[in-house]
Amino acid sequence: MNRLEHRFHITSEWISEYAQSIQAPLQMIHGNLIAPATMPIIFWQAFNIPWLSVDTPLIHGKQSFSYKAPITAGMIIDCELSLTKIEKKAGREGDLTLFKHSLICTSEGRIICTAETVLISIGGGV
């Protein structure tokens, strides 16, 4: 399986806590708090990702976010995390395995945000 789904209820408290943890200013739109642009990265914590080995350390290689609308307090966000590609490369420290992921977040059937992430495993295993 290379696709996982999870639903999140975005609260003002969650946004405030995350913003404080990264020292980001709080912003509002139409009376609702707006999540910092990088907040979808913590959505990963809710997923049990079977294709990533817990025995092998991972390096965060690359990440990008693309927004159609802001994530705001009160939203119900449906997220789909997909493994889009596994690529093997030779590196200075040994073999590298690049895991390319896509996280698509929707609300009420509309795409809100897409995050592309590359995680890198150094050494033997997947």
Side-chain angles (χ1 to χ4, degrees):
M1 169 184 251
N2 65 352
R3 186 175 65 93
L4 304 167
E5 296 178 349
H6 196 79
R7 176 172 278 184
F8 299 94
H9 179 218
I10 308 300
T11 65
S12 295
E13 294 78 20
W14 197 14
I15 291 172
S16 295
E17 288 172 11
Y18 179 72
Q20 183 178 2
S21 75
I22 63 168
Q23 298 178 353
L26 290 174
Q27 299 179 2
M28 297 187 85
I29 187 170
H30 307 298
N32 292 315
L33 281 178
I34 299 172
T38 57
M39 190 167 174
I41 192 63
I42 66 170
F43 296 169
W44 280 61
Q45 296 170 4
F47 292 98
N48 179 17
I49 306 170
W51 57 84
L52 296 177
S53 171
V54 294
D55 299 330
T56 305
L58 296 170
I59 297 170
H60 192 241
K62 180 180 172 184
Q63 185 149 31
S64 64
F65 298 91
S66 175
Y67 278 87
K68 303 285 185 193
I71 295 175
T72 58
M75 278 185 159
I76 303 295
I77 300 286
D78 292 306
C79 293
E80 178 182 287
L81 177 64
S82 299
L83 176 65
T84 58
K85 186 176 182 180
I86 297 177
E87 186 177 347
K88 303 261 186 196
K89 291 186 173 189
R92 290 186 308 223
E93 302 296 322
D95 293 334
L96 304 175
T97 305
L98 283 68
F99 297 91
K100 298 182 179 186
H101 297 87
S102 177
L103 178 69
I104 299 171
C105 302
T106 62
S107 181
E108 299 177 356
R110 295 176 298 130
I111 292 178
I112 300 298
C113 169
T114 302
E116 303 296 330
T117 303
V118 177
L119 298 176
I120 303 167
S121 171
I122 299 174
V126 174

